[in-house]
Structures are given as C-alpha cells and as structure tokens.
Amino acid sequence: MPEVKLTAETRTEFGKGAARRIRRADKVPAVLYGHGAEPVHITLPGHETLLALRVANALLSIDIEGKSQLALPKQVQRDPIKGLIEHVDLLLVRRGEKVTVDIPLHVEGEAGPDTLVVVENSTISIEAEATHLPQQIVVSIEGLEAGSQILAKDLELPEGSVLGVEPDQLIVNITNAPTQAEPETAGEEAAEEASADAEAEGAAEES
C-alpha cells in the first residue's frame, strides 16, 4: 500500500470550542501516539485527510515540522450526517513492524442456483507488516452449492500475514434459497391449525 503524505501542525488548544474552530478552518484535530511516546496533538488538512481515509488502514506519512513519521488510523470519528471527519487517532508504526488490523472482505462471484449467500463477517482480523497491509481480501463464492461454508482458514492471505481469529470462524454460509411454495405451505398449515382449534372450541361448547 503506498504511503499518503500529510503535513500536520502541532496544536496547543483543546476542548470542543477549539475543535470547532479547527474544523471551520477545514482542518481535522488528531492525536498521534504509540511506541511508548507521549501523545502528540496535531491538526491535519481536512480535504487531503478525507481522501486518504477512504482507504481502509491507509498508511500515512505524517510530516511535522520537517520530520516524517509513519502512522495508521486507529479510530476515525465522523459526523453521522455529513460524513466529515471530526477527529482521528493515529498509531505510530515502523517499517517491518507487525500490527493487528481488521481488513475488509470483498465477496465476488455467483453461488450455485437456488442458493442464499449469508455473509457472517465483513472483515477479518490479521497480523501483517504495517507497511504491507492489503486494502481488502477477496472471497470467491463462484459456483458454490447450498451447504458450502467458507471459514477463516480458507481465506487466501497475503504473504507474511497470519490470522488474528480462530481458523474455524465462519465467514460465508451458503444455504438453500427459500421458495415461493414454502410461505404458501406455511400459510396453509396455519389456516388448518386455526380451523382445527375453532372446531375443538365449538365441540367443547356443545358438550
């Protein structure tokens, strides 16, 4: 994954009022931490940061006063309505260092006829080098029949990556698709049961 360079500025103002002023200036308040160092409070350029964080686990090169440090987004707070970034927690990383992150899963292909595809997990936790994180992991369901299952251990991980979850964790489950006849049958059975109950009540009243 290529590095995305962002130029940051250190900040000394904190609190909601300061955060609002930062956002009005089209900047994003953020904090940079990790490796036992004291957290560094910074501001990031708003538009560039928004574009960079469209990619999951984007590798960021943060330039602060001419000194660059690599970081990964650990937590991103967004406005629930506008989708704008309100705050970012950044985790410092080093080249060659391994980190555990959640990688999006992309299901592709078409399962067999008359099947229903149930995606049990949309991400997978893996351990990999911080500078070699995949943007996504592809899961192929092409031609799979009902009864098929894809487990975590079946995923094709990038070289050097290992699972961060149990190997038998269910990822995708292929089942039989419900047919139109099934709801009709269920309705007929319910009607028959209601009729039988009504007859039983009538017989009880007569006796």
Side-chain angles (χ1 to χ4, degrees):
M1 182 184 300
E3 299 173 18
V4 179
K5 295 184 178 181
L6 296 175
T7 300
E9 300 172 351
T10 56
R11 60 187 172 98
T12 56
E13 287 187 307
F14 308 101
K16 293 182 178 180
R20 282 195 292 268
R21 286 193 293 274
I22 290 171
R23 296 187 194 107
R24 281 199 297 267
D26 192 28
K27 296 181 180 180
V28 177
V31 61
L32 190 63
Y33 65 93
H35 296 152
E38 288 292 325
V40 178
H41 298 272
I42 58 176
T43 60
L44 297 170
H47 183 65
E48 290 90 335
T49 303
L50 181 64
L51 293 178
L53 297 185
R54 286 180 176 177
V55 178
N57 301 305
L59 181 61
L60 306 176
S61 177
I62 309 296
D63 184 289
I64 306 175
E65 298 177 351
K67 182 180 178 181
S68 295
Q69 302 180 78
L70 292 178
L72 292 172
K74 191 66 176 178
Q75 185 175 17
V76 181
Q77 298 176 17
R78 297 178 185 270
D79 183 290
I81 298 175
K82 298 179 181 179
L84 299 176
I85 297 175
E86 296 187 329
H87 189 275
V88 183
D89 286 355
L90 299 170
L91 178 65
L92 287 169
V93 295
R94 300 188 181 100
R95 297 187 187 281
E97 178 183 5
K98 288 198 170 184
V99 295
T100 299
V101 294
D102 290 334
I103 302 296
L105 297 175
H106 175 66
V107 178
E108 68 176 20
E110 293 187 9
D114 301 323
T115 59
L116 178 65
V117 179
V118 181
V119 179
E120 300 289 348
N121 287 279
S122 59
T123 63
I124 188 72
S125 176
I126 69 168
E127 183 185 64
E129 285 192 19
T131 54
H132 292 85
L133 298 177
Q135 293 185 18
Q136 63 181 19
I137 294 175
V138 175
V139 184
S140 176
I141 59 169
E142 185 64 37
L144 293 183
E145 302 295 333
S148 300
Q149 292 185 331
I150 297 177
L151 307 179
K153 63 184 178 182
D154 301 322
L155 300 176
E156 293 186 14
L157 301 182
E159 186 177 353
S161 303
V162 296
L163 285 174
V165 298
E166 291 297 322
D168 291 333
Q169 178 174 306
L170 182 60
I171 303 299
V172 179
N173 193 24
I174 311 295
T175 64
N176 285 308
T179 64
Q180 293 182 351
E182 288 177 357
E184 292 176 0
T185 302
E188 291 173 359
E189 290 176 354
E192 290 176 359
E193 290 179 2
S195 177
D197 291 342
E199 291 178 1
E201 289 177 2
E205 290 176 357
E206 291 177 0
S207 61

